[in-house]
Amino acid sequence: TKLHAVVQAQALNGMYAIQAGDADFSMANAFDTTFFVTGTGDYNGHGPQQNLREVSVMIPYRVGIFVRKNSGINSMADLKGKRVPAGFGAQKTIARIVAAHLANAGLSYDDVQKVLTPNIKRSADDFIAGKTDVLFFTVGSAAVKQAAASVGGLRALQIDDSPQAVARMEKVLPGSFVTLVK
């Protein structure tokens, strides 16, 4: 084809290229795009960017908060004071998704012990090593299966689907939603 594609590590690079007219198409997650277009979140102070349009939803993030089956942590509210992965310097989006999960339960990173991690893979390793009380990862992924086998089983913490709880999540992460995964 006559298609010229440039692969870049982070979605925001593609958004800047589209805004500048240097690219015609890119991929990004919905909330990063929302923040970029509105000049909020990680793009606060950059001003609104009007040259972008979302044209398709390809893959929804089906993620969850997991704990050791024998941890005594039975709800999201039980995470208060617990060791939770934070920072995600190489994957800022992940920190925002975890913050949205906490907000769903009326918590924030200020209510937990933040354990800094560069990325989601390291946070999974830290969970298996006992450095954190929480595993945040994609539901059904190999990393979740490995963690379950390594620590003697996992419990997925249920997210509150009440309108108030979803509104708290969306305040942190626009476009987030709750869905049942069996």
Side-chain angles (χ1 to χ4, degrees):
T1 72
K2 294 182 181 179
L3 177 68
H4 175 72
V6 178
V7 178
Q8 298 198 356
Q10 290 290 326
L12 70 95
N13 293 326
M15 291 187 290
Y16 282 116
I18 291 172
Q19 182 65 29
D22 296 332
D24 296 320
F25 184 82
S26 183
M27 290 191 291
N29 62 58
F31 34 88
D32 275 338
T33 303
T34 298
F35 292 138
F36 184 79
V37 169
T38 60
T40 60
D42 292 331
Y43 306 95
N44 197 21
H46 293 237
Q49 308 294 318
Q50 302 300 315
N51 239 2
L52 245 59
R53 302 292 178 271
E54 287 184 338
V55 296
S56 175
V57 174
M58 296 174 67
I59 303 170
Y61 286 149
R62 290 200 170 110
V63 296
I65 298 281
F66 302 88
V67 296
R68 286 168 178 75
K69 185 170 61 175
N70 63 357
S71 68
I73 301 170
N74 297 304
S75 72
M76 291 293 293
D78 292 341
L79 294 180
K80 188 169 187 166
K82 301 296 188 230
R83 299 169 300 161
V84 175
F88 295 95
Q91 292 179 298
K92 291 182 181 180
T93 297
I94 302 301
R96 194 172 292 279
I97 299 171
V98 173
H101 277 78
L102 293 171
N104 177 273
L107 301 173
S108 75
Y109 270 122
D110 292 337
D111 297 309
V112 299
Q113 294 179 45
K114 295 178 279 210
V115 179
L116 296 180
T117 185
N119 57 52
I120 196 165
K121 171 66 172 101
R122 175 74 60 78
S123 72
D125 294 342
D126 288 348
F127 175 78
I128 291 169
K131 295 177 183 177
T132 63
D133 299 307
V134 168
L135 170 65
F136 169 83
F137 225 96
T138 307
V139 175
S141 68
V144 170
K145 292 173 184 175
Q146 178 184 357
S150 298
V151 303
L154 298 177
R155 176 183 297 113
L157 298 183
Q158 187 170 339
I159 295 292
D160 183 352
D161 64 355
S162 71
Q164 300 85 358
V166 172
R168 288 191 302 266
M169 281 177 38
E170 286 187 321
K171 186 174 181 182
V172 174
L173 190 66
S176 58
F177 58 92
V178 176
T179 188
L180 177 64
V181 178
K182 294 183 180 184

